[in-house]
Amino acid sequence: MSATPRAAAAVLCTVLFAPHAVGAQEKTEPRQMHEEDHVARTVVEGEGARLEVAFDPEGDALAVRYRVSNTGQDALAVFDRGDRHAVMTKKLVAGDIPAPRFEDGEDGLVLLHAARALPSPSPTVPPVPLASKLAAGDSRDGAFAFDLSLGSAGARVRWCLGVEPFDDAAFEAADSAGDVAVWTASFDMAQTQQMLCTPWFDPATGTFEAG
């Protein structure tokens, strides 16, 4: 992501994530109006983590902005920085947020920023997970976009973010090109990570389903 999109994302996150009341896990807030855009917000409470998300659909384009907060006592790994294979093949700048992976199933379209298990058979350059580190009490804003036409027409959609306690022995510092440092993680974390998932979102109505 270039300096200009990074700055724009920061401004958008500041607008969308002004202080507001939160409650139970996966509480959905009413749709709100911001500069003629219909923005749907939701909050997901996890163990030691809190995720605030804003979905802003326009046709097949879905803009997602989020703020992840470490509410625990120890550092947290956030799997929102893609994988080392994408960096080595020049598809991703180290430290940037890639477009999410997705799974199109019977229940709907699931967008994923999470650690992946090692594929079988293992590729020559495996997609080693990359994570950002979030200190206890800290928050970080992020943003990405997704083309909904890649999934089934009219399908509902949700986004899941993987997080994991940051164990210094389990992570290794990787080269970073931006403001956010990244670490490589074990493929085993695909099974141990905590998944923070939004409620299902209906693009037609622009609202999250009640939990």
Side-chain angles (χ1 to χ4, degrees):
M1 187 182 290
S2 64
T4 299
R6 279 199 182 100
V11 171
L12 288 168
C13 286
T14 299
V15 172
L16 292 170
F17 295 125
H20 56 280
V22 298
Q25 180 175 351
E26 295 192 349
K27 175 181 176 182
T28 302
E29 298 188 356
R31 186 172 64 183
Q32 301 194 15
M33 183 79 75
H34 293 281
E35 298 180 354
E36 298 183 356
D37 289 336
H38 293 291
V39 179
R41 299 186 189 185
T42 190
V43 177
V44 182
E45 297 285 357
E47 184 178 350
R50 179 170 181 264
L51 183 63
E52 299 169 78
V53 186
F55 276 17
D56 188 2
E58 183 176 353
D60 287 331
L62 176 66
V64 179
R65 293 120 180 152
Y66 63 95
R67 172 172 294 162
V68 57
S69 301
N70 184 345
T71 59
Q73 301 299 314
D74 300 305
L76 193 67
V78 183
F79 292 106
D80 60 351
R81 304 292 153 165
D83 61 69
R84 193 162 178 267
H85 176 268
V87 173
M88 293 183 69
T89 55
K90 309 300 182 182
K91 296 178 180 178
L92 175 68
V93 175
D96 280 0
I97 301 169
R101 293 182 291 114
F102 66 94
E103 297 175 355
D104 193 3
E106 293 182 1
D107 292 335
L109 184 65
V110 180
L111 312 183
L112 294 162
H113 280 108
R116 280 194 286 179
L118 178 63
S120 180
S122 176
T124 304
V125 183
V128 176
L130 294 176
S132 58
K133 183 178 181 180
L134 195 59
D138 282 359
S139 298
R140 182 179 297 122
D141 294 345
F144 63 90
F146 185 78
D147 181 358
L148 294 174
S149 68
L150 296 174
S152 299
R156 60 181 186 170
V157 61
R158 74 189 311 183
W159 172 56
C160 294
L161 174 66
V163 298
E164 174 90 4
F166 194 97
D167 181 350
D168 290 338
F171 290 86
E172 183 177 343
D175 292 335
S176 303
D179 298 332
V180 178
V182 292
W183 279 259
T184 58
S186 165
F187 286 107
D188 292 340
M189 291 184 185
Q191 282 71 49
T192 61
Q193 66 190 329
Q194 176 186 185
M195 300 296 286
L196 304 175
C197 296
T198 69
W200 288 107
F201 177 78
D202 183 352
T205 62
T207 57
F208 286 103
E209 294 180 6

